[in-house]
Every structure is written in structure tokens, then in C-alpha cells.
Amino acid sequence: LSVEICPSLIALLPRASRRQQHQIIQLLAQFNTAAVVATLAKYLDHEDEALRCAVVHSFAKILGDLSLGRLSKLLQKRGPDQAAALVATLRFGGVRGMKIGMPILNAMATDPVFERRHQACMVLEQVAMSSLYRPVQRLLDDENIEVQRAAITAAGAMRCPNLLPALLAKLQPTATRRSATAALANYGESMVDKIAAAMHDDENLPDARSAIPIILARIAVPSCLGHL
């Protein structure tokens, strides 16, 4: 798309349907112009929560760490606004964003309220940085099974080798097997040999070992064939 389309997109935004507004906001994220930034800044206060969260992503994607001042107010809220701002801060805020965002993420991941810990998992899934594997590692053993499943999904998005043993262990319990199977399949070709090795490890219980061929079939690259 050419930057010349920006005025038309900006003019269309107020009268578009909600679905179209989301699409326009995603398109505007490609253009770092004063008019686009000003428009997105205005929509950070929009009444529609889902739209605000979409705007946060585009706004931060364009401005990087220059967006942190405006996002700071959203980081003080609880709920979707804070989660969206935290994802944007960690993904696009650089070193300064990490310094600002990590204390908030760690507080969320250790909150006594399980919904907050579940939200931390969703943030980690969207950020998908393997360097942030430690909070996920803790949340994989959360007392709440829904938090565990969300942490497993986050681990699959990160594809961090350090989380591989913990994910393989999650193949054994019935309550986490489906999530762990999907997460391990996300690791793809680079981890085929290590995942396949678990099939022949007697320390893994039969239910866990029997899930490995399903994972390899989902990865579906030539190197999987030698292990099936």
C-alpha cells in the first residue's frame, strides 16, 4: 500500500463498521505519518474496548519506545487495556519498555487472583519472546488448571528450548495433554529430534510417549518420518 491512501483511510475510519475499523487500524500501522499518529492517539480513548486495544498495538508499532509515555496511563488500569498496553510495551518499547513492563508482568503472573495470572499467560503468548520463558515456567505449575493450559499455549508460541522438558511432562496428565500436544507441534522442525527422543525415554510414562507420534505427524516435515 502507498502512503497516499492514508487520508482516505483516516476519513473512512469514523463511519466504518467496527470490523472495518479494526482492519483500517491494522493498515494504518504501516505508515509513520503525523496524521496517522494523531488519528491513532485520538482513538486510544475510544469507548469501544476492543477497538482501543487494537489501536494500542498499531500506535506502539509505529512509534516504538516513543509510545511509552502515552501507554503509561493504560498500564495503570486492570483488564484488557492494561494487557494490550503491556504487550505493546514489551514488544515495541525496546530496552526501556522491558524495564517498564517486566515488573507489571511479574506482578500479574504472581497475583493471587487466578484471572490475572491467566491474563499474564495471554500477554506472554502475544509477546512470544523466548527470553521471557521464566514466568511461563512458573505458570506451567500453577494451581489452577486453566492457567496451566494458558501457560502451555504461551510456551508453544515462544518455542523456547528451555521449556521443552516441562511441556513434555504436560503430555502425561489428561487435563493438559491436548494443549501440550499443540504447543509442542508449534516448535516445528528444529526440535523434532529432541521431541522424538522422548518417545524412547523410559522415564516418560506410556500416555506421554504415545502422544509423540501425533506431535510429529502435526509437524509433518521429512525428518519426522525416521522417527515414526
Side-chain angles (χ1 to χ4, degrees):
L1 290 176
S2 168
V3 70
E4 294 174 358
I5 199 174
C6 289
S8 298
L9 292 174
I10 291 170
L12 178 61
L13 190 56
R15 57 181 187 272
S17 69
R18 211 45 106 226
R19 180 179 178 183
Q20 290 171 332
Q21 286 179 324
H22 279 269
Q23 293 171 335
I24 291 169
I25 286 164
Q26 289 177 356
L27 290 173
L28 289 176
Q30 302 174 49
F31 306 107
N32 185 358
T33 70
V36 168
V37 171
T39 299
L40 293 176
K42 182 174 67 175
Y43 275 79
L44 286 172
D45 297 319
H46 196 275
E47 62 183 13
D48 185 271
E49 184 180 85
L51 192 62
R52 286 198 309 271
C53 292
V55 171
V56 165
H57 181 274
S58 293
F59 185 75
K61 185 176 180 181
I62 292 172
L63 291 181
D65 65 353
L66 296 177
S67 68
L68 296 176
R70 189 63 192 271
L71 296 183
S72 62
K73 183 173 70 173
L74 297 176
L75 287 172
Q76 304 311 311
K77 297 182 178 181
R78 285 197 169 212
D81 283 304
Q82 184 188 49
L86 184 54
V87 170
T89 297
L90 294 170
R91 283 191 65 183
F92 305 119
V95 174
R96 194 157 64 96
M98 283 290 176
K99 289 180 178 178
I100 293 170
M102 283 309 298
I104 298 170
L105 176 62
N106 287 329
M108 190 183 289
T110 56
D111 197 290
V113 179
F114 87 87
E115 288 91 348
R116 293 280 290 165
R117 302 195 303 276
H118 189 277
Q119 193 169 54
C121 294
M122 296 177 69
V123 168
L124 287 159
E125 178 190 356
Q126 292 177 60
V127 175
M129 291 182 180
S130 61
S131 59
L132 302 183
Y133 76 91
R134 286 185 176 85
V136 175
Q137 200 164 39
R138 293 193 298 270
L139 290 162
L140 285 169
D141 293 321
D142 194 272
E143 62 186 25
N144 183 280
I145 192 64
E146 293 302 325
V147 174
Q148 285 189 40
R149 290 189 185 121
I152 289 169
T153 301
M158 286 183 173
R159 295 184 289 185
C160 176
N162 292 339
L163 295 174
L164 196 61
L167 283 179
L168 288 168
K170 292 298 179 183
L171 290 173
Q172 180 56 33
T174 304
T176 55
R177 187 176 304 137
R178 179 177 294 181
S179 297
T181 298
L184 286 162
N186 278 345
Y187 273 70
E189 186 172 10
S190 63
M191 289 289 119
V192 163
D193 290 343
K194 290 186 178 180
I195 292 171
M199 188 163 49
H200 309 292
D201 188 345
D202 292 337
E203 291 187 7
N204 293 317
L205 295 174
D207 285 344
R209 294 201 301 271
S210 66
I212 302 299
I214 298 172
I215 295 166
L216 295 177
R218 289 189 183 183
I219 296 174
V221 295
S223 57
C224 295
L225 294 174
H227 298 291
L228 295 173

